[in-house]
Each structure stands twice: as C-alpha cells, then as structure tokens.
C-alpha cells in the first residue's frame, strides 16, 4: 500500500492504562475513502483505538499516522491541526442540551470563526438535509429520539468538513429501523469516498457497511480482512464471536439477508 492511499496507520501499538495492558501490538490501516469496521466484544479495546487516533491517549510504543503525519510523539498543542481533519460521532451523540439542533451542528464552525454566518447556516442546512432532519433545526436535543440524536451527531461531523469520520458504537441502543437508517447514512458517505472508522459489536451493521473489518479480542488484533473473509474463518475466538452459544450459525455466516 502506498503512503498516499493510507489515511490512518497504527504500527505495533501497545497501551497500558491503570497498570492493565489494554492494547498489545496493534497493526491497523485505513485507506483513503475506506469504511473500516473495528469489531469486538465490549471491553476489547475498540474505543481505545479511536482515542489513540484522536491523540487523546499516547501509546507506550509504536507509531500512529493520520493523513501522513506521525502523531504519537506530538505535544498537545501540536495536535489541533490533526484533529481538524477528523470528526467524532459519539455513542450517546454528545449534543449540547442547551443548544438547538442548528447550533449543535454548526458549533465547530462558529467556534472557528472563519466563515460568515450565512455560509455556516447553509452548511448546517445541507448537513441536516443529508441525514433527513432539516425540519428539526430549531428543536432542542431533548425533543429528539435516540436515533434522531445520532443522526444529528452525524450531521455535525459532516458540517465540520472533516475528511475522516470516527464512530463509536453508532447503532448502540437503537431499534432496527434507526439502526438501518444509520447504516444507510454510512453507506451514502462511503459512496462519496469519505474515510470512515466505525467501532461496533453489531455484526449485522458491520457486515452491511464494511469495506474491511478489523477484529480485536482482549486487546489483540485477531483478524483484518473483508467481510467475506471473516465469515469464512473458523478460529475459536472468531467463531465464538460470530456464532455465540445458542445463535443460528447461518445468520452469522451471512446466509441470512442483511437489509
């Protein structure tokens, strides 16, 4: 893989927190325009990888490159230009309760102060229109359902102009209809060649949207490949995740339709 095609790269990354090794020798790449799923059980280290990519944690060892720049050795004051290239869609949406939907979506742009109010309003409108919520701009977050709040979170990420979108469990706690809607938005962004990293333990969503899947188990990478390749793997750790005890194996293998 050429350097130009790689937007995110982790090389031999390990991390210890509170005297517990959370990640061990992680090697992960995300190509430009790729939708990469980080799959694994709760507590396996998935969200920690996102925090490393954002520069919120520093690895004990290893290299982390974002858009061609090494960030593992940067000081905190050197990180903002890198973070401007990324936007995070949080598990709980993380909207400001005291701001309207419109103000939440445009918050980063107004904070930067580099655009006119009219320009920001247009971007906010287009971003909300993309997620199907243009008519909610004057509502407060408390007036929205959980699925709508997640979609506003995606609109906020889009409005920022970031080239890399990071999602932390975007379908967690959602009903099937809203899970489908979130997956559809990820697919639309994938079609536009937006680079996306999606942390999830939702198998159906993972197989639906992924270009490639990285699977982590107890802080170690155990698989990196296509959804089709993952379905064909029979190693114990992978099979136990794909086919939990009592589940129907044909669904996990993908013979059941994924809407």
């Amino acid at each position: 893989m050429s350097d130009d095609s790689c937007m995110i790269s982790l090389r031999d990354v390990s991390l210890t927190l509170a005297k517990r090794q959370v990640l061990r020798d992680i090697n992960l790449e995300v190509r430009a325009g790729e939708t990469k799923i980080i799959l694994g059980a709760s507590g396996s280290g998935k969200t920690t990888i996102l925090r490393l990519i954002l520069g919120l944690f520093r690895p004990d060892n290893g290299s982390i490159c974002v858009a061609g720049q090494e960030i593992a050795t940067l000081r905190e004051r050197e990180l903002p230009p890198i973070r401007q290239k990324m936007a995070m869609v949080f598990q709980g949406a993380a909207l400001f309760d005291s701001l309207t939907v419109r103000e939440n979506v445009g918050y980063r742009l107004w904070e930067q102060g580099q655009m006119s109010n009219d320009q920001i309003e247009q971007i906010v409108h287009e971003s909300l229109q993309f997620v199907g919520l243009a008519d909610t701009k004057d509502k407060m977050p408390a007036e929205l359902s959980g699925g709508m709040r997640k979609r506003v979170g995606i609109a906020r990420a889009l409005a920022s102009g970031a080239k890399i979108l990071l999602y932390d469990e975007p379908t967690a706690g959602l009903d099937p209809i809203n899970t489908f809607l979130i997956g559809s938005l990820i697919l639309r962004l994938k079609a536009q060649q937006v680079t996306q990293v999606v942390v999830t333990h939702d198998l159906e969503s993972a197989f639906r949207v992924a270009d490639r899947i990285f699977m982590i188990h107890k802080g170690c990478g155990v698989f990196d490949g296509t959804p089709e390749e993952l379905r064909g793997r029979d190693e114990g750790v992978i099979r136990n995740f794909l086919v939990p005890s009592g589940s129907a194996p044909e669904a996990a293998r993908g013979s059941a339709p994924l809407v």
Side-chain angles (χ1 to χ4, degrees):
M1 181 185 303
S2 68
D3 289 342
D4 289 343
S5 70
C6 186
M7 286 293 280
I8 299 169
S9 172
L10 280 70
R11 290 270 180 256
D12 300 319
V13 167
S14 297
L15 178 67
T16 300
L17 297 172
K19 299 183 179 180
R20 182 176 75 89
Q21 189 164 41
V22 181
L23 298 173
R24 182 164 62 251
D25 298 328
I26 295 294
N27 288 283
L28 169 68
E29 287 189 349
V30 184
R31 297 173 184 264
E34 181 176 69
T35 296
K36 185 102 174 196
I37 298 293
I38 302 179
L39 189 66
S42 297
S44 59
K46 305 186 301 296
T47 299
T48 301
I49 292 176
L50 294 187
R51 290 172 178 159
L52 283 164
I53 293 169
L54 285 165
L56 300 176
F57 290 154
R58 294 184 184 279
D60 301 331
N61 55 266
S63 167
I64 303 174
C65 287
V66 176
Q69 184 166 357
E70 173 64 51
I71 69 167
T73 56
L74 293 182
R75 300 172 184 174
E76 178 61 31
R77 67 173 182 268
E78 297 173 313
L79 284 167
I82 302 298
R83 290 177 179 150
Q84 291 293 326
K85 302 176 188 292
M86 299 181 277
M88 183 83 171
V89 179
F90 295 92
Q91 181 172 342
L95 303 180
F96 296 107
D97 291 337
S98 61
L99 301 181
T100 65
V101 166
R102 164 185 159 275
E103 290 166 338
N104 267 285
V105 172
Y107 182 83
R108 184 159 158 180
L109 298 178
W110 274 302
E111 280 287 294
Q112 291 170 349
Q114 297 174 355
M115 295 182 180
S116 70
N117 192 61
D118 286 346
Q119 287 175 312
I120 295 173
E121 293 283 3
Q122 182 63 28
I123 290 171
V124 167
H125 175 75
E126 291 172 356
S127 299
L128 283 170
Q129 193 170 46
F130 183 88
V131 302
L133 293 175
D135 60 345
T136 69
K137 66 179 181 178
D138 295 321
K139 293 184 180 294
M140 303 301 290
E143 300 177 72
L144 306 179
S145 68
M148 293 169 76
R149 287 195 293 271
K150 292 280 183 77
R151 287 154 63 194
V152 171
I154 294 174
R156 180 174 59 187
L158 289 176
S160 73
K163 303 302 182 186
I164 300 170
L165 300 190
L166 308 175
Y167 303 78
D168 187 12
E169 299 283 6
T171 62
L174 298 183
D175 59 44
I177 293 174
N178 278 296
T179 295
F180 178 84
L181 289 173
I182 296 297
S184 296
L185 290 174
I186 293 172
L187 285 171
R188 286 177 64 192
L189 291 167
K190 175 179 171 178
Q192 295 182 10
Q193 296 294 299
V194 175
T195 303
Q196 302 179 96
V197 181
V198 185
V199 157
T200 187
H201 62 268
D202 180 343
L203 280 173
E204 186 168 339
S205 292
F207 282 124
R208 181 183 175 211
V209 306
D211 288 313
R212 295 181 67 84
I213 296 174
F214 178 83
M215 186 172 171
I216 186 170
H217 176 71
K218 294 183 177 178
C220 297
V222 295
F223 174 82
D224 193 344
T226 66
E228 293 73 21
E229 289 168 342
L230 180 59
R231 289 187 181 111
R233 297 291 283 269
D234 286 319
E235 293 92 330
V237 166
I238 296 175
R239 186 51 43 200
N240 288 340
F241 184 81
L242 295 181
V243 191
S245 177
S247 297
E250 62 273 12
R253 285 184 175 273
S255 54
L258 295 176
V259 295

